[in-house]
Amino acid sequence: MELTVLWFILLTVLFTGFFLLEGFDYGVGILLPFLGKNDTERRVIINTVGPVWDGNEVWMITAGGAMFAAFPHVYATLFSGFYLALFLILMALIGRGVAFEFRSKDDNPGWRRTWDWLIFFGSAVPALLWGVAVANLIKGVPIDAKMQYVGTFFDLLSPYTLIGGLAFFLVFTYHGAVYLTLKTEEEMAERARKAAQGTGVLAAIACLILVAMTYGNTDLFASAGAGVSLWGAVVVFVASFGAVYVKRCGLGFILSCATILLTTAAFFWGLFPRLMVSSLNPAWSLTITNSSSSPYTLTIMTIAALALVPVVLVYQGWVYWIFRKRVSVKDLQY
């Protein structure tokens, strides 16, 4: 296998891991002000992701670093063209991180409500904008022959990309709700299950609209594998919703994870061998060939990845195992 193909696959894996893990973080943050009826319940909700949220964000940092090293032209074009959107994501994530740390520094209800809403916006904004970004990658953005983005921020906004953002937002919210059914107890878990049912219906509708619009706005279905994966994601999501409805939330969460995995795989599969599609001229699209680093750089990166990625995976698996139990009000007393 060529190293450029290998790093395209690794980049797909990194973004899949990020959306899968950070997706339920976003969902929990979005639901925080609505599911928590009082300060104690909101503390319980925050504690379900407290030990893992910062580790989940490392997947995004690693994906960005891998893109910079393996496909520097894509990194340069993406970060210049999507600058404002990525800046908004960064500011939202910084605000959310600060909110997690500062919320408990004062017992004043107004203080805590302010940080709770900052956690909400710090989760909602990235969830929406990542969907817009992914939809733009496959739809195409104005890139010229010099691999430069020549559009504006508003060129990234279209009915298709906004539906993509809404679909990501709702799926992540559903994903977070199902996660909370497994990490909280009794009344809180049941409340989260009902939230999953409500958001699940909306997410299913948004996903169906997104898939339908993908036919007319992209060439994703030119790849049979990508098309099967995308429709498979819809089917698996419906199965997840059904599992949650009959109170088999563990299975529902597994299928929710599979939905995100299949969706990410479908979009990257539809992109291959491209990484960014040019809406001005298909020949100007950034591919794994015209935007990659030198073979020597890719070789060194491959050796480092093979040595370090398994260590990271084992460590993160250990963290999830240690904090696998449900969080209850009793835990706040210690």
Side-chain angles (χ1 to χ4, degrees):
M1 180 185 295
E2 294 184 7
L3 290 179
T4 52
V5 176
L6 175 63
W7 275 97
F8 181 91
I9 294 172
L10 289 176
L11 202 60
T12 304
V13 170
L14 290 171
F15 274 106
T16 301
F18 169 62
F19 290 142
L20 194 154
L21 297 175
E22 191 70 357
F24 68 72
D25 277 357
Y26 290 157
V28 169
I30 291 167
L31 293 168
L32 174 64
F34 308 104
L35 286 187
K37 292 185 176 181
N38 53 53
D39 181 68
T40 300
E41 290 186 350
R42 287 190 287 273
R43 287 174 62 196
V44 169
I45 292 173
I46 290 172
N47 284 2
T48 63
V49 296
V52 297
W53 70 268
D54 49 354
N56 292 343
E57 286 189 358
V58 171
W59 286 79
M60 177 184 67
I61 298 170
T62 305
M67 183 183 293
F68 172 76
F71 303 105
H73 294 297
V74 174
Y75 182 90
T77 304
L78 180 68
F79 276 74
S80 60
F82 291 32
Y83 181 83
L84 182 55
L86 294 173
F87 177 78
L88 291 174
I89 290 175
L90 179 61
M91 291 298 99
L93 293 178
I94 290 174
R96 189 178 70 142
V98 171
F100 279 134
E101 299 297 331
F102 276 47
R103 182 189 185 277
S104 298
K105 300 300 182 183
D106 194 318
D107 293 331
N108 184 287
W111 170 273
R112 294 195 170 189
R113 279 196 301 270
T114 299
W115 293 114
D116 288 343
W117 281 105
L118 193 56
I119 291 173
F120 167 80
F121 286 110
S123 302
V125 171
L128 179 68
L129 291 181
W130 275 118
V132 172
V134 171
N136 268 294
L137 291 179
I138 190 69
K139 178 180 182 293
V141 292
I143 300 173
D144 65 14
K146 297 180 180 179
M147 299 185 180
Q148 295 179 350
Y149 181 85
V150 292
T152 67
F153 171 76
F154 296 101
D155 289 318
L156 303 177
L157 305 179
S158 67
Y160 176 70
T161 58
L162 291 175
I163 285 294
L166 181 62
F168 269 58
F169 174 87
L170 291 170
V171 168
F172 286 159
T173 304
Y174 170 83
H175 194 43
V178 181
Y179 174 80
L180 285 173
T181 66
L182 305 177
K183 292 294 292 181
T184 57
E185 296 183 337
E186 300 172 353
E187 182 184 353
M188 177 72 73
E190 180 60 21
R191 206 182 303 156
R193 191 180 73 86
K194 291 180 179 178
Q197 289 179 290
T199 56
V201 172
L202 297 175
I205 295 172
C207 288
L208 286 172
I209 295 173
L210 177 65
V211 172
M213 293 183 70
T214 298
Y215 276 100
N217 287 272
T218 77
D219 61 356
L220 182 146
F221 288 99
S223 167
V228 170
S229 294
L230 193 57
W231 276 113
V234 175
V235 173
V236 170
F237 183 82
V238 173
S240 173
F241 181 83
V244 172
Y245 184 80
V246 298
K247 299 185 178 182
R248 297 187 61 186
C249 296
L251 176 60
F253 183 72
I254 293 173
L255 293 173
S256 178
C257 291
T259 299
I260 294 173
L261 188 154
L262 286 170
T263 302
T264 310
F267 277 93
F268 275 88
W269 202 335
L271 274 173
F272 185 80
R274 304 161 301 178
L275 284 157
M276 292 187 73
V277 176
S278 172
S279 60
L280 302 179
N281 186 334
W284 297 343
S285 298
L286 303 185
T287 69
I288 61 173
T289 302
N290 66 14
S291 63
S292 69
S293 295
S294 67
Y296 177 76
T297 299
L298 294 177
T299 300
I300 297 298
M301 287 177 57
T302 302
I303 295 172
L306 291 175
L308 298 177
V309 170
V311 176
V312 174
L313 292 176
V314 170
Y315 171 75
Q316 190 154 32
W318 175 78
V319 170
Y320 274 93
W321 175 256
I322 293 297
F323 295 101
R324 68 188 182 278
K325 294 183 179 179
R326 294 177 182 267
V327 181
S328 67
V329 175
K330 297 177 183 177
D331 297 320
L332 304 181
Q333 300 172 356
Y334 298 98

